[in-house]
Amino acid sequence: MSSALILLGALGMYGLWRLVRNQFSTSPLDNLPGPPSGSFFTGNMLQLFHNDSWGYQKKLVDTYGRASKFRSFFGARGLHLYDTKAIHSVWVKDHEYYSRGDIFNQGTELMIGPGLLATQGDTHRRQRKMLNPVFSAAHMRNMTPFFHRIVGKLREAIEARVAADEKELDIAEWMGRTALELIGQGGLGHSFDPLTKESSDDHTEAIKAMIPSFIEYAWLRMFVPYFRYLGPKWLRRKILEFAPIRGLQRLRYISDIMYDRANEIWDEKKRAAEVGDEAIQHSVVGGKDLMSILLKANSAAREEDKLPEDELVGQMSTLILAGVDTTSNALSRILHLLALYPEVQTQLRAELTEAHENYGEAIPYDDLMQLPYLDAVCRETLRLHPPVTISQRQAVCDAVVPLSEPIRGLDGTLIDQIIVPKGTYVLLNNKASNTDKALWGEDAEEWKPERWLQPLPPALEEARVPGIYSNLMTFGGGSYSCIGFKFSQLEMKVVLATLVPSFVFDLPDKPVNWAWAGVAYPTMGGGDITRAEMSIKIKSVKG
């Protein structure tokens, strides 16, 4: 282990050198407005990234505007943006000048493997080319019937607990379980949870704990880019196992559980493929899940386009990490808002009840997607409360970012473009763009589903927001946009179309708070802020 200690010492010296260099060097970003550094070592990162950072993020937006600087780890300067022209440059026009960053890519690969969330460049393009067809609208249509079956089990489970009386249930728990089962069957062809009885295991607990743990131990992220220098994988593993850091051991435990389960499911799918089409047809969803389709396409692909086994396994954990917390917490948010605004809940219930009368219990995909008020409720919630509020990029070379309107620098001059030095981290504020009053109007920070039933403001149409969904930043844009946004929309709409006509949702006795860990999640007043929890009063519409 002596060589490892030497390496650790060298990394410590390198970190100290970076700290001194960043404190005394100059940068093109120095003339931008921005908050004072919160820490010599961590800059503003622990203010920006912790469970209750809403106030600080809002202050950053309101005080310093569409483009500002902040301090990152070791005092490095970063750029915070919600200017639409600047974001278009970063996400679309000059996307090759930016990656998701060493901290994000390497940290994600360490946790869940080389899936779509952890790769970049040619590897990312090859993976995305292979995955794009399986997330098409055609495949979503094929999935709709068994989505209805799964969510029907959720309704039965809630009915059994509510019966004739109003009950307070942890709806965040049920949304998490449902999202996992939907991604399990629809994404992996594997059933995690029958949704008919209380169910929990190490894997589901690890999934729930992963994203909150990222923020709880955010300070560890600054060391991620240097971990690869600690020798071969087996040595890095040994160092990790013996490191006396509670947070590191917690993350290792979560990663190991997710890796082991992904490999178990992968082995099941390989055995089914070896037996032949008959075994696949008798699987959970008859071979219509995303991974089965991907495996079939991968087998037929040209040799240079094929994904190796480690990347295929990595996609499985990626689907779970990207698809469970985001969608389940978005659904929890909608149900919370429906409890806060009963008149919206009543109007939505009327539309959905009429749709069931017209189309039957399982509303077909195209008809479900076109229900106007359901769509308005979903869009407005994703606008005002995007599950992922901030995305990040890192400049891989010197770049220039144009601004839609000039800002005033600290020296009084007007700035219409920003020079971004190589290595700079850029934070793109999805929520701030989605609630920019200059684009959305003075009521931009109010939840009003009806805004989507009328023409959008001309300023918004003219701004050319680079997001892939409804003039919103919620699902990102460009080459790293959310590939599964149609899958997420289908989940949300099937769940709401099933539950809202059957149940009335009301506020609990305790307040519902919203915490942040990269993804927004609900907590109860006085409860554990590191876990998602949201009790809601529920009663049957019939009773």
Side-chain angles (χ1 to χ4, degrees):
M1 297 294 286
S2 59
S3 59
L5 291 174
I6 293 171
L7 282 169
L8 287 170
L11 288 177
M13 292 297 294
Y14 175 69
L16 181 61
W17 171 78
R18 281 197 62 195
L19 182 65
V20 173
R21 184 195 65 176
N22 289 329
Q23 292 298 329
F24 294 101
S25 63
T26 59
S27 165
L29 302 180
D30 288 341
N31 196 32
L32 295 178
S37 178
S39 163
F40 200 60
F41 292 97
T42 60
N44 301 112
M45 298 303 280
L46 299 189
Q47 296 167 296
L48 280 164
F49 297 96
H50 73 86
N51 298 117
D52 191 23
S53 60
W54 300 114
Y56 189 83
Q57 292 180 18
K58 183 75 165 60
K59 182 180 178 181
L60 184 64
V61 170
D62 292 344
T63 306
Y64 302 105
R66 291 189 180 89
S68 59
K69 69 172 181 288
F70 65 92
R71 289 281 183 168
S72 183
F73 296 119
F74 300 117
R77 295 159 182 83
L79 178 62
H80 172 263
L81 295 171
Y82 67 97
D83 179 286
T84 53
K85 188 174 183 180
I87 294 171
H88 184 272
S89 173
V90 175
W91 273 0
V92 182
K93 181 175 177 290
D94 299 316
H95 68 93
E96 69 273 16
Y97 299 161
Y98 302 90
S99 73
R100 280 181 295 207
D102 293 340
I103 289 176
F104 182 91
N105 286 333
Q106 293 174 33
T108 305
E109 183 173 359
L110 281 171
M111 289 296 294
I112 61 173
L116 198 64
L117 279 178
T119 55
Q120 58 188 17
D122 290 339
T123 301
H124 183 84
R125 283 189 286 273
R126 177 167 45 80
Q127 289 184 2
R128 198 169 181 102
K129 179 182 177 182
M130 187 67 69
L131 285 163
N132 267 328
V134 306
F135 285 100
S136 67
H139 285 316
M140 296 306 105
R141 289 187 187 90
N142 290 335
M143 289 184 182
T144 304
F146 65 81
F147 270 40
H148 281 296
R149 288 199 299 272
I150 294 167
V151 180
K153 292 181 181 179
L154 168 66
R155 181 182 57 204
E156 292 171 8
I158 294 177
E159 283 174 343
R161 285 155 180 79
V162 171
D165 300 321
E166 181 179 75
K167 293 285 177 62
E168 203 168 282
L169 298 181
D170 183 358
I171 202 69
E173 173 79 14
W174 284 102
M175 292 302 99
R177 290 175 62 179
T178 303
L180 178 59
E181 185 62 4
L182 287 167
I183 200 71
Q185 291 199 30
L188 311 181
H190 179 87
S191 179
F192 289 104
D193 188 341
L195 293 177
T196 54
K197 58 185 178 180
E198 302 302 328
S199 175
S200 181
D201 60 21
D202 288 347
H203 184 247
T204 56
E205 292 302 314
I207 293 167
K208 287 190 290 185
M210 176 172 277
I211 288 180
S213 294
F214 281 156
I215 292 299
E216 189 176 357
Y217 308 114
W219 62 273
L220 289 169
R221 298 175 69 206
M222 72 175 84
F223 300 106
V224 167
Y226 314 114
F227 195 64
R228 58 185 169 180
Y229 299 118
L230 296 177
K233 283 187 177 181
W234 68 266
L235 179 58
R236 284 181 282 177
R237 176 71 188 190
K238 285 297 180 184
I239 294 171
L240 196 62
E241 288 176 0
F242 289 105
I245 303 171
R246 178 176 172 271
L248 201 58
Q249 296 306 321
R250 175 68 171 156
L251 291 170
R252 180 181 66 83
Y253 171 76
I254 292 169
S255 176
D256 285 352
I257 289 175
M258 292 192 66
Y259 177 79
D260 290 344
R261 181 58 64 90
N263 275 282
E264 288 173 13
I265 298 170
W266 170 250
D267 288 342
E268 290 174 8
K269 300 198 81 60
K270 281 200 301 184
R271 285 195 294 271
E274 288 167 2
V275 171
D277 289 343
E278 185 177 348
I280 294 173
Q281 290 300 318
H282 285 86
S283 64
V284 175
V285 291
K288 294 180 180 179
D289 60 280
L290 302 181
M291 282 304 298
S292 292
I293 296 167
L294 175 62
L295 288 175
K296 191 172 183 179
N298 197 56
S299 297
R302 295 180 303 176
E303 200 61 38
E304 62 267 26
D305 292 330
K306 286 186 177 181
L307 304 185
E309 184 167 312
D310 64 332
E311 291 182 22
L312 288 167
V313 175
Q315 307 309 332
M316 301 174 84
S317 293
T318 297
L319 284 171
I320 292 171
L321 178 63
V324 173
D325 273 5
T326 50
T327 303
S328 66
N329 291 327
L331 279 165
S332 295
R333 177 77 79 169
I334 292 176
L335 294 176
H336 182 211
L337 288 165
L338 293 178
L340 282 167
Y341 297 90
E343 70 283 0
V344 175
Q345 184 178 164
T346 300
Q347 186 173 345
L348 179 60
R349 183 174 296 110
E351 179 182 80
L352 293 171
T353 300
E354 182 181 355
H356 284 298
E357 291 171 355
N358 291 334
Y359 304 114
E361 189 70 26
I363 304 172
Y365 175 81
D366 292 298
D367 301 302
L368 183 65
M369 292 297 110
Q370 291 171 12
L371 292 175
Y373 202 62
L374 173 62
D375 192 59
V377 167
C378 291
R379 286 176 193 253
E380 182 66 354
T381 305
L382 292 170
R383 180 192 71 84
L384 187 59
H385 303 290
V388 179
T389 55
I390 291 177
S391 56
Q392 69 177 30
R393 296 290 185 269
Q394 186 178 25
V396 298
C397 62
D398 291 346
V400 177
V401 169
L403 299 176
S404 57
E405 293 182 1
I407 62 170
R408 195 165 295 280
L410 296 179
D411 63 1
T413 60
L414 289 176
I415 301 171
D416 59 7
Q417 62 180 24
I418 299 168
I419 297 173
V420 184
K422 179 181 177 180
T424 299
Y425 272 94
V426 183
L427 298 183
L428 305 147
N429 198 317
N430 304 332
K431 182 177 174 67
S433 175
N434 288 354
T435 56
D436 188 343
K437 291 182 180 180
L439 303 181
W440 292 91
E442 287 302 311
D443 61 354
E445 295 183 355
E446 299 175 35
W447 189 68
K448 290 184 173 181
E450 61 270 18
R451 80 172 73 244
W452 295 95
L453 304 177
Q454 55 199 17
L456 294 173
L460 179 66
E461 300 286 359
E462 294 165 6
R464 298 179 63 192
V465 177
I468 58 171
Y469 171 74
S470 298
N471 290 299
L472 300 176
M473 299 273 286
T474 304
F475 291 106
S479 58
Y480 294 118
S481 61
C482 175
I483 196 171
F485 80 98
K486 289 187 178 73
F487 191 101
S488 176
Q489 285 181 288
L490 178 60
E491 284 185 73
M492 292 170 65
K493 291 186 176 183
V494 170
V495 169
L496 293 171
T498 304
L499 297 188
V500 174
S502 301
F503 306 104
V504 177
F505 300 92
D506 200 0
L507 293 173
D509 295 327
K510 290 183 178 179
V512 176
N513 301 318
W514 285 84
W516 190 82
V519 174
Y521 62 96
T523 65
M524 298 303 295
D528 181 1
I529 197 172
T530 64
R531 65 179 292 267
E533 178 186 12
M534 190 182 81
S535 295
I536 284 284
K537 291 179 180 177
I538 305 176
K539 65 180 179 182
S540 172
V541 168
K542 298 176 183 178

